[in-house]
Amino acid sequence: MKPRILQLNPILIPAANDQLAALYEVHKYFEIADPEAWLREYGSSIEAVITGGHTGISRPMLEQLPALKVVAVNGVGTDAVDLAYCRTRGLPVTATLGALTEDVADLAIGLLIAACRNLCAGDRFVRDGQWELYPQPSAIPLARRFSGMRVGIVGMGRVGRAVAVRAAAFGCPIRYTDLRAMDDIAHPFVPTLLELAQESDALVLCAAADQAEGIVNAAVLDALGPSGFLVNVARGRLVNEADLAAAVTAGRIAGAGLDVFVDEPRVPRALRQSDAVTLQAHRASATWETRAAMADMVLASVAQALAGERPAMSLTT
């Protein structure tokens, strides 16, 4: 009999789904008509859970899965999983660390360039036929050069370092802030976010910082100033969205590029309506290459745990 797997989120890579189906008896929780009743009846036989960073898995659900050997998160966010409880059970919780780095860093730079150069507003100007009506050069406001901007990176982990490499290629002076200075980073360390904002033309949020909330507030945005830009590819709740919306509307910052939000998929109207803001629907890792790599890591974690091994990507054991 194949081991039973409970899948809480879809995996978008067909080959990965084929492998799962070949190796395991996969139950897709998101397709079950009465999931609570199903869990009561079959929960005791589930040996592995595959979930996403946003969905995670609740402690009450974990408590209904006594045979569980691994929680494989198809993503890097684990704040929706009770890691402390999992440690008490000796239960491995894995994440796809490293698989997302390059794509997230690419999008961070893309969002910053798009915001600086008003790419989305320019695209709409052409698509809507406005260029034919207003062909004079002054019809579109001048943009801001990205090359050479002072870039402040918040969180110098994998993604932060990858962003730094890319920004440096554009001749951008780079500073960063984190919980501490890092000996292997040549870029200047700035001890506080407020100071970093004062010394930057653009702030790029890359910190995992699962417990931080609203650290980019009105004071930080004012320190960034009317010619400054904010990019967030980390956690939506790092930003006080009401303060950001007010700053954008009043022109207290020049613009923003945002991939993550506090209450997804709901995005404040002021941000949606502003031409100064470039928006994405939490898509930084959404490429075939990264999603395939993530799926491979999930499959490896499940296989290792069910073979009685410690999964290589375990965060709890």
Side-chain angles (χ1 to χ4, degrees), residues 118-144:
N118 299 322
L119 293 186
C120 293
D123 179 87
R124 287 193 296 272
F125 186 81
V126 176
R127 288 181 187 276
D128 292 346
Q130 296 300 300
W131 195 14
E132 296 178 38
L133 298 176
Y134 306 101
Q136 60 272 28
S138 61
I140 301 177
L142 293 177
R144 169 67 186 269

Side-chain angles (χ1 to χ4, degrees), residues 65-242:
L65 307 175
L68 192 61
K69 297 176 182 176
V70 63
V71 174
V73 178
N74 189 27
V76 296
T78 57
D79 43 317
V81 181
D82 190 335
L83 298 181
Y85 171 72
C86 291
R87 288 189 182 99
T88 67
R89 281 181 55 173
L91 181 62
V93 176
T94 67
T96 56
L97 302 177
L100 293 73
T101 300
E102 303 304 324
D103 280 341
V104 175
D106 285 352
L107 188 69
I109 296 299
L111 284 170
L112 184 48
I113 292 175
C116 289
R117 297 298 302 270
N118 299 322
L119 293 186
C120 293
D123 179 87
R124 287 193 296 272
F125 186 81
V126 176
R127 288 181 187 276
D128 292 346
Q130 296 300 300
W131 195 14
E132 296 178 38
L133 298 176
Y134 306 101
Q136 60 272 28
S138 61
I140 301 177
L142 293 177
R144 169 67 186 269
R145 176 187 295 165
F146 167 60
S147 295
M149 286 180 69
R150 299 173 302 162
V151 174
I153 298 175
V154 182
M156 199 55 110
R158 290 182 178 90
V159 173
R161 293 169 187 238
V163 169
V165 169
R166 288 156 173 74
F170 284 85
C172 297
I174 296 160
R175 293 174 174 80
Y176 74 99
T177 193
D178 210 308
L179 298 178
R180 58 175 177 80
M182 299 181 183
D183 295 337
D184 60 337
I185 299 291
H187 304 297
F189 170 74
V190 181
T192 71
L193 178 55
L194 191 65
E195 291 177 74
L196 185 65
Q198 291 170 336
E199 298 175 11
S200 300
D201 299 312
L203 279 182
V204 182
L205 307 186
C206 302
D210 288 340
Q211 305 306 315
E213 187 171 350
I215 59 174
V216 177
N217 54 24
V220 170
L221 295 168
D222 285 342
L224 188 57
S227 62
F229 293 82
L230 175 73
V231 169
N232 190 3
V233 292
R235 298 285 189 272
R237 65 174 174 272
L238 293 177
V239 177
N240 182 316
E241 286 183 342

Side-chain angles (χ1 to χ4, degrees), residues 219-299:
V220 170
L221 295 168
D222 285 342
L224 188 57
S227 62
F229 293 82
L230 175 73
V231 169
N232 190 3
V233 292
R235 298 285 189 272
R237 65 174 174 272
L238 293 177
V239 177
N240 182 316
E241 286 183 342
D243 287 355
L244 175 59
V248 167
T249 301
R252 297 192 345 258
I253 67 168
L258 309 171
D259 184 50
V260 289
F261 305 89
V262 173
D263 185 24
E264 296 175 356
R266 286 161 285 278
V267 178
R269 181 184 295 271
L271 298 178
R272 287 188 282 116
Q273 292 182 335
S274 174
D275 279 345
V277 181
T278 301
L279 303 170
Q280 285 287 290
H282 204 144
R283 301 276 293 168
S285 66
T287 68
W288 285 105
E289 293 82 1
T290 283
R291 293 298 168 86
M294 291 167 65
D296 287 345
M297 294 171 81
V298 167
L299 284 161

